[in-house]
Amino acid sequence: MTGYQIFWPLLAHVALVYGLYALLGLRRAKMVRAGGIAKSDYRENRSEPAESLVVKNCLANQFELPVLFHVCCILLYITDADNIVTVGLAWAFVVLRYAHAAVHVTSNELRYRSPLFAAGYAVLAAMWIWLAVWMAIG
């Protein structure tokens, strides 16, 4: 590649994480204002209302598989293994994470969420396989 194209999908994922933090704060504030929970109840998070719990869980999910994504992108760049295909795969992974997050914080329907997760899993696997092949033949 000619520059830092592999890092744009990383930044897009970071934007998703920040957006989810904002959504979590808004939903929690709404629940406190509505009297559904006391502000102090969030200290230990033992009784998170469902409306904000789905966002909290979605946010936690952004620090699981996506951590491997960030590492892979950095390694692709360092090893000069990034190319138009890997950048495309990186964007596909991020788009799938956005779609997965959208389902997670709205309907939370597993019949939609699971295939989106599986697709992202497969895309990321392809990125890691390409990295391994690149290093093996390079």
Side-chain angles (χ1 to χ4, degrees):
M1 295 296 308
T2 59
Y4 304 111
Q5 290 89 346
I6 195 73
F7 295 122
W8 288 111
L10 286 165
L11 292 172
H13 182 256
V14 168
L16 173 62
V17 170
Y18 273 89
L20 288 169
Y21 272 118
L23 180 60
L24 180 61
L26 290 171
R27 287 198 181 175
R28 283 180 170 176
K30 178 182 173 186
M31 296 303 295
V32 169
R33 280 192 310 274
I37 190 167
K39 194 177 191 180
S40 61
D41 289 342
Y42 288 115
R43 186 175 306 128
E44 294 184 25
N45 269 335
R46 293 186 183 185
S47 58
E48 181 97 29
E51 187 176 341
S52 56
L53 181 62
V54 292
V55 180
K56 180 183 168 196
N57 290 343
C58 182
L59 188 56
N61 192 254
Q62 301 310 313
F63 294 96
E64 294 170 356
L65 192 62
V67 170
L68 295 176
F69 167 71
H70 286 258
V71 171
C72 188
C73 287
I74 292 166
L75 290 173
L76 286 166
Y77 179 78
I78 290 171
T79 61
D80 290 326
D82 57 328
N83 57 35
I84 192 70
V85 173
T86 57
V87 170
L89 288 170
W91 276 115
F93 179 81
V94 171
V95 166
L96 289 163
R97 293 310 303 168
Y98 270 84
H100 180 268
V103 171
H104 204 160
V105 302
T106 57
S107 69
N108 202 20
E109 287 282 337
L110 285 177
R111 65 183 167 158
Y112 301 121
R113 218 175 87 205
S114 292
L116 290 167
F117 178 85
Y121 178 89
V123 167
L124 184 57
M127 291 174 67
W128 279 102
I129 290 167
W130 169 248
L131 176 62
V133 168
W134 177 265
M135 290 189 311
I137 63 174

